[in-house]
Amino acid sequence: MAVNNNAKKISVVPFGPQHPVLPEPIHLDLVLKDEKVVYALPSIGFVHRGLEKLVEKRDYEQFVLIAERTCGICSFGHGMGYVEAIEKIMNLDIPPRAKFLRTMWAELARMHNHLMWLGLQADAFGFESLFMECWRLREKVLDMLELTTGGRVIFSVNKVGGLRKDVTPEMLEQILKTLDGLEKECRVVTDTFLGDPDVLSRMKGVGVLTPGRAEELGCCGPFLRASGVKRDCRQLGYEAYGELKFEPIVSYDGDCYARCLVRIEELYQSMDLVRQCIAKMPGGDIAVKVTGNPNGEYMVRIEQPRGEALYYVKANGTRYLTRYRNRTPTYANIPGLIETIKGAELADVAMMILTIDPCISCTER
Amino acid sequence: MAFLPYVGRTLKNLFSKPATESFPAGERIYPDRYRGHIENDIDKCILCGSCQRNCPSSAIKVNKADFSWEIHPFSCVQCSKCVEVCPVKCLSMVNSFTEPGAEKTSIVNRFSQERIEKEKEKQRLMAEKIAAAKKAAAEKAAAAKAPAQTPAGT
Ligand code: SF4
Ligand code: SF4
C-alpha cells in the first residue's frame, strides 16, 4: 500500500538509550517535522540501582562509601554532601585542614569533569583529535588524584567526622607543579574551542535558553549560568569556600557556545581555587572523634561539577538511617534540555544533550 | 587563526612518544596509595569478624568453625574500610590490580595445620574451663538454695 508522505509530515524518532555519542542511557522520543524537532519526550529508568533504599541495610558510616559510588565522576561531591549532612545532624565541628582538603579535592574533581566534558563535546561534533587531547590532559588531573587518594575517580577519603587520609607537603608541591604545566597545555585546547571556526559554526546560536525560562524550569549549574543567571552554591560558603576568593562565572548568550565558555572558565577557576587552598592550607588534625548515632534530619546543598545537588538525610538514633534522598543536577536540567531541543535540527540534538553534561546514573541512583 | 596553535600541538603529537604507557611491555608504576586489592596475613588474623561486619559490599566471610577467612575479590570495591577496622592490622591494601580470573571464585585463606591444632587445643581447654566454671556455679547455687530452704522448712 502506498503511503502518502506529504499528508503525514510528522515522524517520531527514538533517540537512545544506546547512542554513539551518548555515554549514558537516556531515551528521548523526538517528534520531527522534516528535520526539525517539534517535541521531545524523555524517559529515564534504565540504570536504577536502588541506592537510596540501601541506606536501610548499611550503617551510616558504611554508607559514605556507597553514597560516593552513586556516580563515577561527581563521586567526591556525593560523599561530601552525605557526610556533611550527617555531621550537621551530629553537631560535629570538622577541623579546618579537613575542610580545605575536601575543597581541594572537590575542585580537582571539577577539573577532571570539565576536561572530560570538553572531550565528549568535541567528540559529539566530530573533532576526534581534540577529544583525545582533552582526555590526555584529564589524565594528568587523575594522576594527581591517584597520588593523593589512591583512586582515580572514586577517592574514598571522606568519613563522618573528617577525612581518612592526609596529604603530605610533597604531594601538595607536586600538585602545584602539575597545575602549572597543565594550565599552559589547557590554553591551547580551550582556545581551539573558543576560536576555531569549525567549532563555532556548530555551537554559536544553537540551543538558546533564555534566563527567564532557565530559572522557571529550575535549571542549575553551568547550564543555568550560561543563560546569565548568577547562581553558584559554592557561594553558600560550605567547607572552605567561605574563605576563598571567587566569583561565579556567567555568560549571557544561553547557547551551546556559552555553556562551553562557562565550563572552560570554570576549569581555570578551579585551578585557581586549588592554588588558593594549598596556599592557605592549615595544619592540624584531619578528623574528630565520632561517638553515638545521628538523630534528626538535615538537608545540604552543594555545587557539583554539573550543578547544584541536594542531599537529605533523616536519622532515627540507630546506626541505620531512615531516609536518604539525593537530587542530582541532571534531574533538574532535563526540563531545560527539552526546552532547548524544541525547534532544533536533528543533527544538533546529540550535542545539545551533551551540553547539560548529563549523568543518568546519578539521576536514577 | 585560532586553530594554528592547535595544529602545532597535533603535529607535535605526531612525532612525540605515545601519551599512554606500553603495558604490559613496560612496567606500571603504582603510586603508594593506590588501592589495588586486599591481602590478608592469615598468620596474624584472629578471625574476629570485624572486617566482615564493616565491609559495605559483603565481600568478606569469616568462618570460625573452619578457621578460614574468605574474600570475594570481584565483589570488593577497594574501599579500605576493612583495613581500617582490623584490630590486629593483618589486612593490607596492596598496590597492584586484582588478579583476573575465568571464574568468579573466592580466595580462601586458612590457618596452617599447626595453628589449627593449637586453636583446637585452646578451644578444648576453654570449653573445659567453662564447663568447670558452670559446674562450680551450679553447685554454689544449689548450696545457696539448700540453707535458704532449711529455715523455711523448720
Ligand atoms: S578484622 Fe582482621 S583479625 Fe578480624 S577477622 Fe578480619 S582480618 Fe582477621
Ligand atoms: S576493601 Fe572494602 S569492599 Fe573490599 S573487602 Fe575491604 S571493606 Fe570490603
Side-chain angles (χ1 to χ4, degrees):
Chain A
M1 198 182 77
V3 178
N4 183 357
N5 279 330
N6 290 339
K8 202 177 152 198
K9 272 198 179 143
I10 292 213
S11 47
V12 180
V13 173
F15 186 96
Q18 298 282 338
H19 192 278
V21 299
L22 283 184
E24 305 261 355
I26 183 169
H27 174 83
L28 293 171
D29 278 317
L30 300 173
V31 181
L32 301 182
K33 204 167 190 180
D34 294 333
E35 283 279 293
K36 272 219 165 18
V37 182
V38 286
Y39 190 69
L41 189 71
S43 51
I44 55 172
F46 296 93
V47 284
H48 175 64
R49 291 159 291 163
L51 286 181
E52 286 182 352
K53 181 77 181 159
L54 199 57
V55 82
E56 296 164 17
K57 297 268 188 321
R58 298 283 185 268
D59 71 36
Y60 74 94
E61 281 177 2
Q62 283 177 336
F63 200 77
V64 183
L65 301 161
I66 294 164
E68 72 174 349
R69 279 162 176 81
T70 311
C71 177
I73 304 295
C74 338
S75 59
F76 185 78
H78 286 316
M80 187 167 89
Y82 168 79
V83 291
E84 213 175 284
I86 299 270
E87 282 159 3
K88 286 277 162 38
I89 292 175
M90 298 178 87
N91 277 327
L92 296 173
D93 201 12
I94 304 308
R97 186 173 174 84
K99 285 186 179 170
F100 273 84
L101 281 174
R102 277 184 188 171
T103 311
M104 182 187 86
W105 275 317
E107 288 307 316
L108 283 171
R110 192 181 313 277
M111 278 166 63
H112 98 71
N113 175 73
H114 283 4
L115 278 169
M116 183 196 73
W117 179 84
L118 285 171
L120 290 175
Q121 184 71 0
D123 191 39
F125 53 64
F127 202 151
E128 199 73 11
S129 74
L130 193 59
F131 157 60
M132 299 268 183
E133 195 63 36
C134 293
W135 280 48
R136 184 178 70 83
L137 296 175
R138 173 179 178 243
E139 210 57 29
K140 298 199 173 178
V141 183
L142 294 184
D143 282 347
M144 289 192 257
L145 292 169
E146 199 175 37
L147 176 81
T148 48
T149 68
R152 282 158 54 88
V153 288
I154 304 278
F155 311 160
S156 293
V157 282
N158 275 318
K159 70 173 180 186
V160 176
L163 294 174
R164 297 164 71 194
K165 279 178 188 151
D166 201 353
V167 298
T168 62
E170 294 81 46
M171 285 176 183
L172 294 179
E173 222 163 82
Q174 177 71 30
I175 292 178
L176 287 177
K177 223 170 83 194
T178 317
L179 275 186
D180 288 342
L182 189 66
E183 184 161 7
K184 268 192 219 114
E185 288 192 82
C186 280
R187 287 281 172 205
V188 177
V189 171
T190 55
D191 285 351
T192 313
F193 272 99
L194 299 178
D196 188 278
D198 293 340
V199 179
L200 294 189
S201 70
R202 285 303 303 272
M203 295 202 296
K204 269 257 179 218
V206 177
V208 178
L209 188 65
T210 57
R213 281 305 276 163
E215 237 179 331
E216 263 171 41
L217 294 168
C219 302
C220 62
F223 190 51
L224 177 70
R225 290 193 286 276
S227 288
V229 181
K230 197 172 174 181
R231 189 177 301 148
D232 189 331
C233 270
R234 289 177 288 176
Q235 285 196 308
L236 296 174
Y238 62 89
E239 299 301 342
Y241 284 113
E243 294 166 51
L244 304 178
K245 263 206 220 68
F246 70 100
E247 271 296 308
I249 288 165
V250 279
S251 173
Y252 296 93
D253 295 342
D255 56 0
C256 289
Y257 181 79
R259 288 166 214 149
C260 189
L261 181 76
V262 166
R263 290 202 174 89
I264 287 174
E265 293 294 321
E266 282 189 7
L267 174 68
Y268 294 116
Q269 183 186 49
S270 291
M271 290 183 189
D272 181 47
L273 285 175
V274 171
R275 288 199 186 100
Q276 285 189 38
C277 277
I278 294 180
K280 290 186 178 168
M281 187 69 68
D285 285 343
I286 53 162
V288 287
K289 209 166 152 22
V290 181
T291 45
N293 296 324
N295 194 0
E297 58 183 340
Y298 203 85
M299 182 143 76
V300 167
R301 287 194 299 157
I302 69 164
E303 187 76 16
Q304 287 274 32
R306 289 166 166 141
E308 178 183 330
L310 216 139
Y311 303 86
Y312 168 76
V313 169
K314 185 171 183 189
N316 53 11
T318 66
R319 291 192 71 73
Y320 298 89
L321 304 179
T322 313
R323 180 83 170 99
Y324 164 64
R325 169 87 174 98
N326 176 4
R327 203 279 332 253
T328 59
T330 308
Y331 194 81
N333 280 337
I334 289 178
L337 167 72
I338 301 301
E339 175 94 356
T340 57
I341 290 181
K342 279 183 207 160
E345 295 289 331
L346 178 60
D348 287 335
V349 169
M351 199 181 67
M352 282 180 193
I353 295 178
L354 270 183
T355 56
I356 69 161
D357 200 356
C359 178
I360 306 301
S361 72
C362 326
T363 306
E364 297 174 6
R365 304 169 303 279
Chain B
M1 287 300 113
F3 62 92
L4 273 185
Y6 187 71
V7 173
R9 176 76 239 177
T10 317
L11 285 176
K12 206 169 141 201
N13 280 346
L14 203 57
F15 297 107
S16 53
K17 74 174 185 36
T20 47
E21 304 275 343
S22 59
F23 187 81
E27 198 195 343
R28 162 81 159 105
I29 299 161
Y30 294 101
D32 288 343
R33 291 189 173 180
Y34 186 82
R35 300 196 309 275
H37 67 271
I38 293 288
E39 272 179 22
N40 187 4
D41 182 0
I42 192 73
D43 293 339
K44 278 205 260 162
C45 178
I46 52 170
L47 299 181
C48 67
S50 179
C51 50
Q52 178 184 341
R53 283 191 298 278
N54 280 285
C55 174
S57 65
S58 313
I60 298 180
K61 283 201 178 53
V62 176
N63 190 341
K64 272 194 175 167
D66 188 38
F67 300 102
S68 68
W69 179 94
E70 189 181 324
I71 185 167
H72 193 255
F74 302 99
S75 298
C76 170
V77 292
Q78 276 84 30
C79 64
S80 282
K81 183 94 183 158
C82 52
V83 179
E84 269 166 35
V85 296
C86 178
V88 292
K89 299 286 163 230
C90 62
L91 289 175
S92 52
M93 186 57 95
V94 182
N95 63 355
S96 68
F97 60 85
T98 310
E99 284 286 325
E103 276 172 37
K104 290 192 169 179
T105 46
S106 298
I107 295 170
V108 182
N109 288 349
R110 203 152 182 262
F111 278 8
S112 65
Q113 204 52 44
E114 203 181 318
R115 191 160 168 211
I116 290 179
E117 300 289 319
K118 251 194 217 161
E119 288 293 326
K120 277 192 178 155
E121 180 64 21
K122 236 194 237 168
Q123 277 177 9
R124 198 180 56 77
L125 286 177
M126 189 62 99
E128 267 174 19
K129 232 188 210 169
I130 290 173
K134 262 192 191 154
K135 209 170 144 200
E139 272 170 12
K140 209 171 167 192
K145 234 184 194 172
Q149 266 172 6
T150 330
T154 50

